[in-house]
Amino acid sequence: MEVGSLNIEQVQDPDSNVIATDQDGVLMELDAENCVREGKKEFVAPAIGMEFDSYEDAYNYYNCYAKELGFRVRVKNSWFKRNSKEKYGAVLCCSSQGFKRIKDVNRLRKETRTGCPAMLRMRLVDSKRWRILEVALEHNHLLGTKMYKSMKKMRSGTKRKSQSSSDAENQTIKLYRSLVIDSGGNGPSNFNATEARNDSPKQLNLKKGDTRAIYNYLCRMQLTNPNFFYLMDINDDGHLRNVFWIDARSRAACGYFGDVIYFDNTYLANKFEIPLVALVGINHHGQAVLLGCALLAGETAESYIWLFKAWLTCVSGHSPQTIITDRCNVVQSAIAEVFPSCHHCFGLSLIIKKVPEKLGGSRNYDAIRKALLKAVYETLKVIEFEAAWGYMIHRFGIGDHEWLQSLYDDRFRWAPVYLKDTSFSGMSATRPGETLSPFFDKYVHKQTPLKEFLDKYELALQKKHKEEALADIYSRSSSPMLKTRCSFELQLSKIYTRDIFKKFQFEVEEMYSCFSTTQLHIDGPIIIFLVKERVVADGNQREIRDYEVLYNRTAGEVRCICSCFNFHGYLCRHALCVLNFNGVEEIPSKYILARWKKDYKRLYIPDHGSNNVDGTDRMQWFGQLYRSALQIVEEGVISLDHYNVAVQTFEESLKRMDEVSLNTEPAGDDDADGYEIEGDCAMTEFVSQTGIMQGENPLPPAAGMEFDTYEDVYYFYNCYAKQHGFGVRVSNTWYRKSKERYRGKLSCSSAGFKKKSDANRPRPETRTGCPAMVKFRLMESNRWRIIEVELEHNHLISPASGKFYKSHKSIGGGTKRPLQLDSAEEVQKIRLFRTVIIDSEGHRSIDVDEGESGNKVDYSNQLRLKEGDALAVQNFFSRWQLIDPDFFYVVDLNEKGCLRNLFWADARSRVAYTYFSDVVAIDTTCLENKFEVPLVAFCGVNHHGQSVLLGCGLLASGTIESYTWLFRAWLTCVLGRPPQAIITDQCRTLQTAIADVFPRASHCLCLSQIMHKIPENLGGLFEYEAIKAAFIRAVHYSFRVEEFEAAWEDMVQRHGIRDHNWLQALYEDRKQWVPVYLRDIFLAGMSPMQPSEVVSSFFEEFLVKSTLKDFLDKYDQALQTHHQLEVVADLDSRNSSYMFKSGSHFELQLSELYTNDILRKFGKEVEGMYSFFSTRQLNVDGPLIKYTVKEQTEVDGNRREMRDYEVLYNPSEMEVLCICGMFNLKGYLCRHALSILNQNGVQEIPALYILSRWRKDIKRSYVYNHSCSGIDINNPVHRYDHLYKCIVQVVEEGRKSQDRYKVALQELNGILNKLCITEDCAL
């Protein structure tokens, strides 16, 4: 065709194509090189960046586009400037957008709207042109050629007289000449945004706030759901592509019901707002059960393969027998690669659902559909199906129909006649009317945002779990009503769950519609029978159909041609007729599937091929123990008696396991002052059916928490108050002029004081001026945020006191509303604790996705990963989650979906913090010194004075934002309990972040690091050695502030270094690192007192010239090395006698309490008692007596000088305080204080100075404690959650060593035996 023969205007497109119009004024696309027409004539779809001269032009363009596609346009919103009334913004939408309001009239008009999402948002820009800013092209309804109101006159959206349709179209054509790309875009505008997005999805498409929603959800699940597992797929560029997660209950369900899986990618394939896919199974009641969820970047083979491998890793490599999916070549290729041995089938109901869409435009559609259904559902043999299909094709002349052709090519994967040897366990949907519904069908629509879905996700699972629990109870506690006298019915009524039995019972009833059973012929041991049945055909007519049944009497086998057993899991009426005909009174055992039994989950241990457990593989130990533990959980849920026995025997088992001495066990004890981590059985289940509080809040109020309403804040704080034993009252409420509340303050009921009364008998004062309170205010997002918290009370509070406060009378959020389960209130309860932003003492939220950090956040920074690093990180987190059910990790993504920061902590580190949370050192050496591994480590000191890991992070850079995120992530991990003191290197960004996140913690700078930097910063100065000696003398040998100030002034004055920048910065921060200023801060020996003392890094030996992959490989080795040192020290302290160096009573006293390492350090102080030159009393000030102790100390190498140490002693309170401050700095009394006690005849160190953190007689079990009090034990879901969390502790203990593994397995078997005895007694 000649291009010159066309009347064409050409406009060069950025993608080297030409935008052209023909004589009809319709847009076409021409190839830039040969100007050949491509495709049919159509208007270019709206795209972000298009610009128009006027609002009317934009409206006309969208109206022309709507006419071409077959929908009408409606103006949804318009924005006008306040003064000039000039329009500056608008949203045009499909006329089917939204829904009509319900009117109270007698005759309601028919609903024509569908909530369609198609829309176009535009705005007047600085160039005085209208630019498209947002576009949604997808409709959720069929498009047609109906003439709509908006097209009759092609009006512009204003009241002006409209031009003709052709003029409007010609006018519209001129609007596309300049496709201006929005400055915020990422490249040239694409005419089809949907296609552009799906061509090559490199990362997950996240909207504003989605990363925060994912972060909060994953944090919350890890804190409340042991064995929760998730993985993130991050490429080597740091982009997030896919996310997979599965909760503990779903992981357990995979073991029971993972034989047949339905892979539901409905939401992803249909371009829903959330790219969700779900793996679904079917439980012993025939109910859908979730086996895992994921968010995928796109429908690519890479994404699907990654997901299937992640799921396979989670279930220890146990592949399903059958996978059911929608028809998709990409999914098909991924399944073939990951699950090569499983049967991959297409969901028949999904295919039938597409018939109207694919064949709806065909002539004789109703007849074609009827013929198709007949061929699919009514044929019993392959030859019958082929004949019926061929008849349909030839009769209606649809042999060249592309969809039908592809369907026929895939017939072996979806047609029932080809799948009779495949086991479906009831998920086949091979009968008319049966469907495979999406698991979240009632909770997700096309425009559901991710944040809303994560809210509904937990609600959906809670309801599913409750349905299963109730069905379990119903099946065990009641007997179904028999409808016949058939022995088969009686047999399975005692075995199967009620729901499955009803389905089987229908087959038994239908046996009586089979009026003839005839033997056809015998082939060896096999007898072929013919069963005739009257079935309902078209309409209400009945016809007779023949069914062949094979029967083997010797083998006890029966098989019908309808293959009901493989499709649905129970024998059909025809097979039952043959069994009955042959005098069989009981169904053979091979046809009674264990998966339908009432006690299936209690009797069946999922076997993943680990019967022969490797004695050296901790992962296999955990797997075997975990499967045994699941039996106990299922058994303990049966009744309250079973539950009580399970809990009691569980506690006894833990005590017996503590007696096992292990050479590989990280020994430790339950510190008397330790923080006990407790969680409720589920964060969302706080209210029982009566509306009375039954659970616990796992987190105290914290600044940054957000709530939907004022009442929700009140309800949350009231629940917290009831749990801790105090009442609540509203201290203040602030209102705007519109009477709208915008601020509030809730206080303890003992806050303030009552006004004085002039009454003769005034009521006694009950208030104490208690400071405990929370302040909160309404934010711009219309959510209420806690902005200030005070948790301390000045009076005794106790939940066990039984005192009932007025505010607890109706815990319902400060209103009179009742709270009930299974209602809309459940959503409310779930949202009360939705924002797990831990800001224990802070003043603002860090939801950077909401833009609250302004322009200070640099979203361009991301973690620098080399090739293979992303996979190494994924494998690292995957491995740890498989062996450690309480492993915690979170990922920080910027708004572009790029990996920015990482944080993780294993269960041992999390529990260690509960024992040693007083002082934490944050080691940023690797990050600040630009190591290849940008590591930040949280470290403490254990009862031997050894370094102990409390968490790790990898940061993109040392910015305030990165540090703030890391500290909040760590604080979330430890349930919002900040340390008393924090030690870091000298760094302004660190100081700012710590002040923000830990405002009440004492922030100290590491003296060892400062001393280490002296040669680097002062080495080039004249008289360096003299300056260094003066520096050390001022820092280490000053006992009073004035002494330090004088020594520092003398140093800078004598050597002329007052203007030295580093020294100036040190002097400004002197109160954070000089020992003389730190005497009132407890540092547990983590800050050196002598120049020779050095604090080493936890990973010092494992980071030399190490890449990220190498470090992650060595991480386990580093932890094991430190754990082994602690175990050896424990054994040394418990089994060996300490060698006394003196006859002091103090040394003898602590030798029975303290660990040997701490005792050795203390022994040096006892020895020093006897080296004093003199001790004399200076003066007495009331109860305080001041002493001075003279001692010769080494100064400047070998030189010794006499020093005076002042010691204050209070004999009435048994308090002693030395000016050297050793007790706070080191954690034990100094020689000077001991000398004064000894001089005053004190033979034992006062209890005040004996710290439990150093004791060896306290058992520290490094097992995360999930026990919870106050659960609703009448709720089977609560019982399940509680038992599960308890039994995980036994599993955790058992995986520590081979000896303990054997003991744990014996204990689990013992618990199970006791539960079985309990059931026998009940019977």
Side-chain angles (χ1 to χ4, degrees):
M1 179 181 291
E2 294 286 342
V3 177
S5 64
L6 295 172
N7 180 16
I8 294 179
E9 289 183 298
Q10 297 183 354
V11 180
Q12 188 67 34
D13 181 54
D15 291 332
S16 74
N17 286 339
V18 174
I19 308 302
T21 64
D22 66 4
Q23 292 177 346
D24 297 327
V26 180
L27 211 68
M28 302 177 296
E29 213 176 89
L30 305 181
D31 184 81
E33 295 182 0
N34 52 28
C35 289
V36 177
R37 293 173 182 265
E38 294 182 353
K40 66 177 184 178
K41 296 187 294 184
E42 62 181 11
F43 280 96
V44 175
I48 296 175
M50 282 185 173
E51 289 190 356
F52 303 86
D53 290 334
S54 66
Y55 170 83
E56 290 77 12
D57 290 340
Y59 183 91
N60 279 336
Y61 153 71
Y62 194 50
N63 214 3
C64 291
Y65 169 76
K67 179 181 178 182
E68 186 71 25
L69 266 67
F71 69 95
R72 62 177 177 172
V73 174
R74 178 160 56 85
V75 180
K76 181 182 180 182
N77 297 101
S78 295
W79 289 271
F80 297 84
K81 294 181 180 179
R82 181 172 298 177
N83 298 326
S84 63
K85 304 298 182 181
E86 177 189 8
K87 186 181 294 187
Y88 68 89
V91 174
L92 307 180
C93 64
C94 172
S95 59
S96 296
Q97 185 271 342
F99 297 95
K100 293 180 179 177
R101 296 180 181 176
I102 299 177
K103 299 180 180 179
D104 298 327
V105 295
N106 295 330
R107 298 182 63 185
L108 294 176
R109 296 179 62 185
K110 181 181 178 181
E111 178 61 77
T112 57
R113 299 185 185 178
T114 63
C116 179
M119 53 77 70
L120 176 152
R121 183 167 65 87
M122 54 185 176
R123 183 184 179 90
L124 186 66
V125 295
D126 294 338
S127 60
K128 299 300 180 181
R129 291 169 59 84
W130 285 79
R131 178 182 298 166
I132 296 179
L133 302 179
E134 184 179 352
V135 175
L137 300 178
E138 297 295 329
H139 296 259
N140 63 0
H141 55 93
L142 293 177
L143 303 179
T145 56
K146 180 179 177 181
M147 188 66 179
Y148 293 107
K149 240 182 352 180
S150 64
M151 302 168 190
K152 287 182 180 179
K153 295 183 179 180
M154 204 61 68
R155 62 186 180 182
S156 63
T158 66
K159 298 299 183 179
R160 70 186 181 99
K161 185 178 180 180
S162 300
Q163 55 199 6
S164 66
S165 176
S166 60
D167 290 341
E169 291 186 0
N170 290 330
Q171 174 69 19
T172 304
I173 298 305
K174 298 177 182 179
L175 304 176
Y176 311 136
R177 300 299 174 80
S178 176
L179 299 185
V180 180
I181 307 305
D182 188 280
S183 59
N186 298 315
S189 177
N190 193 309
F191 290 160
N192 195 324
T194 304
E195 290 178 4
R197 185 174 63 250
N198 293 331
D199 282 343
S200 180
K202 295 181 179 179
Q203 65 185 87
L204 195 62
N205 184 20
L206 297 176
K207 293 192 174 181
K208 187 177 182 180
D210 284 351
T211 55
R212 173 57 54 188
I214 294 174
Y215 173 85
N216 287 344
Y217 169 74
L218 295 176
C219 283
R220 185 171 62 255
M221 291 303 290
Q222 290 180 96
L223 292 174
T224 62
N225 196 305
N227 224 29
F228 178 81
F229 181 97
Y230 81 96
L231 285 177
M232 288 187 170
D233 178 26
I234 297 172
N235 60 22
D236 287 333
D237 294 331
H239 292 95
L240 175 64
R241 289 183 296 201
N242 310 298
V243 182
F244 166 75
W245 73 92
I246 178 171
D247 64 280
R249 190 157 185 154
S250 295
R251 290 186 72 181
C254 287
Y256 298 119
F257 311 115
D259 51 350
V260 182
I261 291 177
Y262 166 43
F263 178 65
D264 180 14
N265 65 340
T266 305
Y267 310 112
L268 179 64
N270 293 334
K271 312 301 180 189
F272 275 49
E273 183 82 5
I274 49 174
L276 175 70
V277 296
L279 294 98
V280 183
I282 188 169
N283 68 8
H284 51 311
H285 301 288
Q287 302 166 337
V289 58
L290 189 65
L291 305 179
C293 279
L295 301 174
L296 301 186
E299 295 182 273
T300 62
E302 293 77 12
S303 291
Y304 286 131
I305 289 172
W306 178 87
L307 169 61
F308 294 147
K309 287 184 177 180
W311 183 82
L312 202 57
T313 299
C314 172
V315 298
S316 304
H318 185 63
S319 299
Q321 299 175 17
T322 307
I323 295 182
I324 304 171
T325 72
D326 199 357
R327 290 179 67 235
C328 176
N329 292 331
V330 179
V331 174
Q332 188 173 341
S333 63
I335 289 176
E337 178 174 338
V338 183
F339 306 111
S341 60
C342 81
H343 299 284
H344 179 204
C345 307
F346 298 146
L348 179 57
S349 64
L350 303 176
I351 293 173
I352 298 302
K353 189 182 294 185
K354 293 180 180 178
V355 170
E357 174 190 347
K358 302 296 184 180
L359 303 177
S362 303
R363 187 178 180 184
N364 299 320
Y365 162 70
D366 291 334
I368 295 173
R369 181 178 182 276
K370 183 178 179 181
L372 177 63
L373 297 181
K374 188 177 181 69
V376 171
Y377 290 114
E378 298 182 14
T379 55
L380 297 175
K381 299 178 180 179
V382 171
I383 191 172
E384 293 177 4
F385 172 81
E386 296 288 350
W389 188 276
Y391 173 77
M392 175 188 70
I393 294 296
H394 289 95
R395 180 182 176 187
F396 300 107
I398 51 178
D400 58 348
H401 194 284
E402 184 178 350
W403 184 70
L404 287 176
Q405 282 182 338
S406 64
L407 205 59
Y408 181 75
D409 294 337
D410 293 332
R411 64 192 181 281
F412 301 102
R413 295 185 184 274
W414 63 269
V417 293
Y418 292 101
L419 301 175
K420 292 182 178 180
D421 294 329
T422 304
S423 176
F424 286 93
S425 300
M427 292 190 73
S428 59
T430 54
R431 295 169 178 165
E434 293 180 340
T435 59
L436 290 172
S437 300
F439 185 85
F440 297 103
D441 195 23
K442 297 180 181 179
Y443 301 91
V444 177
H445 57 78
K446 191 139 190 173
Q447 297 300 316
T448 300
L450 180 59
K451 289 194 288 186
E452 181 181 335
F453 166 71
L454 293 177
D455 285 347
K456 294 179 177 179
Y457 174 86
E458 294 175 70
L459 177 62
L461 260 61
Q462 284 289 330
K463 287 194 173 182
K464 295 287 185 181
H465 296 165
K466 188 171 184 179
E467 288 172 5
E468 180 178 332
L470 293 177
D472 278 337
I473 295 173
Y474 195 40
S475 293
R476 292 169 183 158
S477 61
S478 62
S479 299
M481 183 178 296
L482 302 182
K483 297 183 179 180
T484 69
R485 296 183 179 181
C486 178
S487 60
F488 303 144
E489 184 183 17
L490 177 61
Q491 178 189 5
L492 293 194
S493 68
K494 301 176 182 178
I495 301 175
Y496 277 7
T497 60
R498 195 174 185 89
D499 296 281
I500 300 301
F501 174 73
K502 285 183 179 180
K503 297 178 181 179
F504 173 76
Q505 190 177 46
F506 179 75
E507 295 297 320
V508 175
E509 289 183 88
E510 290 299 309
M511 285 174 60
Y512 299 100
S513 65
C514 303
F515 61 90
S516 174
T517 302
T518 309
Q519 179 177 318
L520 292 182
H521 64 270
I522 301 175
D523 183 8
I526 299 176
I527 308 173
I528 300 178
F529 290 88
L530 184 67
V531 178
K532 293 183 178 292
E533 180 189 8
R534 293 186 182 91
V535 297
V536 178
D538 298 335
N540 292 323
Q541 297 180 357
R542 299 180 74 88
E543 65 180 30
I544 297 174
R545 189 169 299 169
D546 296 340
Y547 293 86
E548 291 182 3
V549 182
L550 303 181
Y551 177 60
N552 187 333
R553 184 187 299 273
T554 56
E557 295 178 351
V558 62
R559 179 171 180 178
C560 178
I561 195 172
C562 73
S563 199
C564 177
F565 181 76
N566 278 336
F567 286 138
H568 301 286
Y570 47 82
L571 289 178
C572 62
R573 61 199 74 172
H574 321 111
L576 295 175
C577 283
V578 172
L579 291 177
N580 187 56
F581 181 82
N582 285 274
V584 179
E585 295 184 353
E586 286 192 349
I587 296 175
S589 58
K590 66 177 62 179
Y591 298 109
I592 300 177
L593 296 186
R595 69 166 3 261
W596 303 137
K597 291 184 177 181
K598 300 177 183 180
D599 51 4
Y600 166 68
K601 290 173 70 176
R602 295 157 50 206
L603 300 182
Y604 169 66
I605 301 178
D607 185 4
H608 293 169
S610 56
N611 291 330
N612 299 321
V613 178
D614 183 357
T616 61
D617 191 341
R618 285 194 302 156
M619 192 177 297
Q620 290 192 23
W621 298 346
F622 177 80
Q624 183 69 22
L625 293 172
Y626 181 68
R627 290 190 292 275
S628 300
L630 287 179
Q631 285 185 291
I632 297 172
V633 176
E634 297 295 343
E635 191 78 18
V637 178
I638 296 175
S639 67
L640 285 177
D641 291 337
H642 286 75
Y643 170 77
N644 292 329
V645 170
V647 172
Q648 180 182 353
T649 51
F650 147 74
E651 293 172 351
E652 294 172 355
S653 297
L654 276 183
K655 291 179 181 178
R656 284 193 291 270
M657 290 182 68
D658 286 340
E659 299 171 0
V660 180
S661 178
L662 302 173
N663 56 0
T664 59
E665 177 191 2
D669 292 332
D670 191 10
D671 188 293
D673 296 331
Y675 177 63
E676 205 170 23
I677 302 178
E678 295 187 351
D680 199 359
C681 51
M683 284 189 76
T684 60
E685 295 289 339
F686 287 101
V687 184
S688 74
Q689 294 184 7
T690 61
I692 302 300
M693 183 72 177
Q694 297 290 340
E696 297 180 355
N697 292 343
L699 295 175
M705 283 185 172
E706 291 189 356
F707 303 82
D708 285 337
T709 65
Y710 179 98
E711 289 76 14
D712 289 343
V713 186
Y714 183 93
Y715 174 79
F716 167 75
Y717 193 54
N718 208 7
C719 290
Y720 170 79
K722 181 176 181 182
Q723 176 190 326
H724 288 78
F726 67 94
V728 173
R729 63 186 174 86
V730 180
S731 290
N732 298 94
T733 303
W734 287 264
Y735 293 84
R736 295 192 174 98
K737 292 182 179 180
S738 60
K739 304 299 182 182
E740 177 191 14
R741 289 179 295 198
Y742 71 92
R743 189 182 175 105
K745 178 182 177 182
L746 304 178
S747 302
C748 171
S749 56
S750 297
F753 297 95
K754 292 181 180 178
K755 296 180 180 179
K756 292 184 179 180
S757 173
D758 295 332
N760 295 330
R761 298 180 62 186
R763 296 175 64 183
E765 178 62 75
T766 57
R767 299 185 185 178
T768 63
C770 180
M773 62 85 191
V774 294
K775 289 182 181 179
F776 52 101
R777 69 172 298 140
L778 186 65
M779 309 303 293
E780 294 179 359
S781 60
N782 286 326
R783 288 170 61 83
W784 291 81
R785 178 182 300 162
I786 296 179
I787 57 175
E788 186 178 347
V789 176
E790 176 58 60
L791 298 180
E792 298 297 328
H793 297 259
N794 63 1
H795 55 95
L796 293 178
I797 57 174
S798 173
S801 65
K803 185 175 181 180
F804 190 81
Y805 291 91
K806 188 176 179 181
S807 62
H808 301 162
K809 186 179 296 183
S810 176
I811 295 187
T815 66
K816 303 295 184 180
R817 56 176 180 165
L819 295 178
Q820 299 176 349
L821 289 174
D822 295 332
S823 67
E825 293 298 338
E826 284 200 355
V827 181
Q828 180 70 9
K829 288 178 290 170
I830 287 175
R831 287 178 179 172
L832 292 179
F833 309 100
R834 184 59 50 212
T835 308
V836 190
I837 302 176
I838 304 303
D839 185 8
S840 185
E841 314 292 347
H843 304 286
R844 64 180 180 89
S845 170
I846 61 156
D847 191 345
V848 297
D849 289 315
E850 301 297 339
E852 293 178 21
S853 298
N855 297 324
K856 295 181 180 180
V857 181
D858 181 14
Y859 291 116
S860 63
N861 65 343
Q862 64 184 75
L863 198 62
R864 289 176 289 277
L865 298 176
K866 292 187 176 180
E867 184 177 356
D869 283 352
L871 182 60
V873 170
Q874 178 179 309
N875 291 338
F876 174 78
F877 289 145
S878 176
R879 183 175 69 254
W880 268 96
Q881 287 183 98
L882 290 176
I883 65 174
D884 187 347
D886 293 305
F887 182 79
F888 180 98
Y889 81 99
V890 285
V891 176
D892 177 32
L893 303 171
N894 60 25
E895 67 173 5
K896 297 178 181 178
C898 296
L899 175 62
R900 188 161 47 188
N901 306 303
L902 288 171
F903 169 78
W904 72 89
D906 63 286
R908 184 185 177 91
S909 297
R910 295 176 67 186
V911 179
Y913 181 73
T914 67
Y915 302 129
F916 312 115
S917 60
D918 42 10
V919 186
V920 173
I922 302 176
D923 184 4
T924 59
T925 304
C926 298
L927 179 65
E928 297 298 334
N929 293 338
K930 310 299 180 184
F931 278 38
E932 192 162 341
V933 181
L935 179 70
V936 176
F938 296 82
C939 299
V941 62
N942 67 8
H943 49 306
H944 301 290
Q946 301 167 339
S947 182
V948 58
L949 188 66
L950 306 176
C952 284
L954 297 176
L955 300 188
S957 59
T959 61
I960 295 175
E961 291 75 18
S962 290
Y963 282 132
T964 300
W965 177 89
L966 178 65
F967 297 155
R968 292 180 189 274
W970 179 72
L971 202 54
T972 298
C973 175
V974 297
L975 299 184
R977 187 180 184 224
Q980 299 172 17
I982 297 175
I983 302 173
T984 71
D985 197 1
Q986 186 183 26
C987 174
R988 293 299 179 192
T989 54
L990 264 175
Q991 290 174 269
T992 304
I994 289 175
D996 184 17
V997 183
F998 308 107
R1000 291 190 178 181
S1002 300
H1003 181 200
C1004 306
L1005 304 181
C1006 181
L1007 180 55
S1008 178
Q1009 290 285 348
I1010 292 174
M1011 301 302 291
H1012 182 72
K1013 293 179 180 179
I1014 289 178
E1016 173 189 348
N1017 290 283
L1018 302 180
L1021 297 178
F1022 181 69
E1023 298 182 330
Y1024 163 68
E1025 294 296 337
I1027 295 174
K1028 179 181 177 182
F1031 185 95
I1032 292 174
R1033 184 178 182 86
V1035 171
H1036 287 287
Y1037 300 108
S1038 299
F1039 292 148
R1040 296 178 179 84
V1041 172
E1042 53 270 20
E1043 289 180 11
F1044 169 78
E1045 296 288 350
W1048 187 275
E1049 178 64 24
D1050 179 68
M1051 176 187 70
V1052 298
Q1053 180 70 28
R1054 175 174 300 184
H1055 300 286
I1057 52 176
R1058 188 181 302 278
D1059 296 331
H1060 194 281
N1061 291 336
W1062 185 66
L1063 289 176
Q1064 280 184 338
L1066 280 182
Y1067 183 74
E1068 290 174 3
D1069 294 332
R1070 62 191 181 280
K1071 294 182 180 179
Q1072 292 181 285
W1073 63 275
V1074 180
V1076 73
Y1077 291 100
L1078 304 179
R1079 289 176 186 162
D1080 295 331
I1081 302 174
F1082 183 75
L1083 297 177
M1086 296 187 72
S1087 181
M1089 291 184 63
Q1090 300 299 325
S1092 58
E1093 296 180 18
V1094 178
V1095 179
S1096 59
S1097 171
F1098 187 89
F1099 293 104
E1100 189 170 17
E1101 302 175 6
F1102 302 92
L1103 283 169
V1104 179
K1105 297 181 180 179
S1106 180
T1107 64
L1108 181 57
K1109 289 178 64 177
D1110 294 336
F1111 168 71
L1112 295 178
D1113 290 339
K1114 295 176 183 177
Y1115 178 84
D1116 292 5
Q1117 180 185 350
L1119 262 60
Q1120 288 298 324
T1121 299
H1122 285 277
H1123 296 171
Q1124 189 67 31
L1125 291 174
E1126 183 174 333
V1127 169
V1128 171
D1130 277 336
L1131 294 175
D1132 179 55
S1133 296
R1134 291 171 181 168
N1135 301 329
S1136 63
S1137 299
Y1138 173 74
M1139 185 73 69
F1140 294 100
K1141 298 182 178 180
S1142 69
S1144 170
H1145 296 287
F1146 302 142
E1147 194 172 14
L1148 177 63
Q1149 176 191 6
L1150 293 193
S1151 67
E1152 299 175 357
L1153 301 175
Y1154 276 9
T1155 61
N1156 286 352
D1157 293 280
I1158 302 301
L1159 200 57
R1160 292 186 188 99
K1161 298 176 182 178
F1162 177 74
K1164 294 180 180 179
E1165 297 303 312
V1166 175
E1167 283 186 89
M1169 286 172 53
Y1170 305 102
S1171 64
F1172 296 145
F1173 184 75
S1174 68
T1175 301
R1176 64 187 181 90
Q1177 179 178 322
L1178 291 182
N1179 57 61
V1180 179
D1181 184 8
L1184 292 179
I1185 306 174
K1186 182 185 288 187
Y1187 292 87
T1188 180
V1189 178
K1190 291 184 177 293
E1191 179 189 14
Q1192 278 193 343
T1193 58
E1194 287 189 6
V1195 180
D1196 298 336
N1198 295 324
R1199 188 171 65 86
R1200 301 180 68 87
E1201 68 176 30
M1202 191 71 67
R1203 301 296 303 271
D1204 292 342
Y1205 295 85
E1206 289 184 0
V1207 182
L1208 298 178
Y1209 177 58
N1210 186 338
S1212 59
E1213 299 292 335
M1214 293 302 292
E1215 294 177 349
V1216 61
L1217 178 65
C1218 179
I1219 196 172
C1220 72
M1222 178 173 282
F1223 181 76
N1224 277 336
L1225 294 176
K1226 295 295 183 180
Y1228 46 82
L1229 288 178
C1230 64
R1231 59 193 67 184
H1232 320 110
L1234 294 174
S1235 176
I1236 298 303
L1237 290 176
N1238 186 57
Q1239 181 174 322
N1240 283 272
V1242 179
Q1243 296 187 354
E1244 286 191 350
I1245 296 175
L1248 175 66
Y1249 302 106
I1250 299 178
L1251 302 183
S1252 58
R1253 72 165 353 269
W1254 304 131
R1255 296 181 67 149
K1256 63 181 178 182
D1257 57 342
I1258 299 176
K1259 178 63 181 172
R1260 296 174 178 87
S1261 176
Y1262 290 101
V1263 176
Y1264 201 80
N1265 182 13
H1266 289 283
S1267 62
C1268 45
S1269 57
I1271 71 164
D1272 181 10
I1273 60 176
N1274 294 311
N1275 188 324
V1277 177
H1278 286 204
R1279 292 203 300 266
Y1280 182 99
D1281 288 343
H1282 185 207
L1283 283 177
Y1284 181 86
K1285 292 175 180 179
C1286 289
I1287 213 67
V1288 163
Q1289 295 184 54
V1290 178
V1291 177
E1292 273 285 274
E1293 288 286 353
R1295 74 180 182 89
K1296 291 182 177 179
S1297 73
Q1298 189 170 10
D1299 291 338
R1300 182 150 296 197
Y1301 160 73
K1302 295 176 180 178
V1303 173
L1305 202 56
Q1306 292 175 0
E1307 292 297 331
L1308 291 175
N1309 291 332
I1311 297 175
L1312 190 60
N1313 291 334
K1314 287 189 178 182
L1315 290 173
C1316 293
I1317 294 173
T1318 302
E1319 184 166 13
D1320 293 340
C1321 295
L1323 294 175

